[in-house]
Amino acid sequence: MNKNKIMLSFVSGALLLLSGCGSDSTTTGVTIPVAQGTAFYVDSAIEGVTVECSASPSVTKSDGAFSFEAGSECQFKVGTVLLRTEGGLTEGKYVFEDNVRTAQFLQTLDVDGNPENGITILPETAVVLAEMGIATVPQSDVVLAEIEEAMDHAEIGYDGRYKTSVEAQAHMEASYEIYFGQPLYPDAPDVPNTPDVPNAPDVPNTPEVPRI
């Protein structure tokens, strides 16, 4: 009888032990939080651009700040228009828009047409671009001028203007020096001054031919 009680106790203990092990296996799937960071999208600070780094996109703030997950690759968009893709982000990094066409596009979309005080993209801009069928960054000045006209007619508070590639480039280079303290293109060769062309020698007056 004692042997039976001992055996029953052993079996019961073993069952409890197995049950406990099963419970542990279902509670060990702890989600490890992903490291979050903040970086900045600039050519002047760019506000209103959607940044998709994970399932939870963020929108750039007035200083260009956006959130990202460590190790993720981020896509920068206005509506469905992809501006750029960026990886290797670190805390406090400045993502500088160094593509002239993209910078020209953003500066044209800027709400007040003055990128010197920052570039602000209105939320309604995405709707205007979609209605125009704009799916990529425009590579034509004609298209950019049409976008400006459509933005004006949309009556969404837009007071910007079309920017030429020359204007966009000049602003981009000036902004880069402000943010990074060096030229955007440090290895660009200096254009030598055109040498002065000496004055052409005076041509003596043709002597008069005496009349016969």
Side-chain angles (χ1 to χ4, degrees):
M1 189 69 178
N2 290 336
K3 289 184 178 179
N4 290 337
K5 288 183 177 180
I6 293 172
M7 182 62 69
L8 181 59
S9 298
F10 176 78
V11 171
S12 298
L15 289 173
L16 288 172
L17 180 61
L18 289 173
S19 176
C21 290
S23 176
D24 287 344
S25 65
T26 59
T27 58
T28 53
V30 178
T31 302
I32 300 174
V34 178
Q36 297 279 339
T38 300
F40 302 86
Y41 186 36
V42 297
D43 166 27
S44 290
I46 303 172
E47 178 182 3
V49 168
T50 300
V51 185
E52 298 178 352
C53 301
S54 62
S56 301
S58 63
V59 178
T60 55
K61 299 178 182 179
S62 59
D63 58 355
F66 63 92
S67 300
F68 68 91
E69 291 181 356
S72 62
E73 187 173 72
C74 299
Q75 291 187 328
F76 296 74
K77 297 180 178 180
V78 175
T80 59
V81 179
L82 178 63
L83 305 173
R84 69 185 294 125
T85 299
E86 192 79 17
L89 293 170
T90 54
E91 179 66 28
K93 179 177 180 178
Y94 285 99
V95 179
F96 189 85
E97 186 49 71
D98 55 359
N99 181 282
V100 176
R101 280 298 188 185
T102 303
Q104 184 184 7
F105 178 52
L106 290 170
Q107 290 176 34
T108 296
L109 296 179
D110 180 27
V111 64
D112 67 355
N114 180 17
E116 302 299 329
N117 62 10
I119 297 171
T120 300
I121 311 299
L122 294 169
E124 298 84 355
T125 300
V127 177
V128 177
L129 296 176
E131 290 176 347
M132 293 182 67
I134 304 297
T136 59
V137 174
Q139 302 299 306
S140 163
D141 285 14
V142 173
V143 175
L144 283 170
E146 291 174 350
I147 290 173
E148 179 204 357
E149 184 177 2
M151 293 282 287
D152 281 332
H153 292 164
E155 298 183 352
I156 57 176
Y158 172 80
D159 193 30
R161 70 176 185 85
Y162 153 72
K163 296 289 186 179
T164 67
S165 58
V166 173
E167 289 176 309
Q169 176 81 37
H171 173 74
M172 193 173 70
E173 292 183 8
S175 291
Y176 190 90
E177 290 209 36
I178 292 173
Y179 280 104
F180 301 103
Q182 63 183 29
L184 177 57
Y185 305 113
D187 298 328
D190 294 331
V191 178
N193 294 326
T194 304
D196 294 333
V197 178
N199 294 329
D202 294 333
V203 179
N205 295 330
T206 304
E208 294 183 2
V209 178
R211 296 179 179 178
I212 299 176

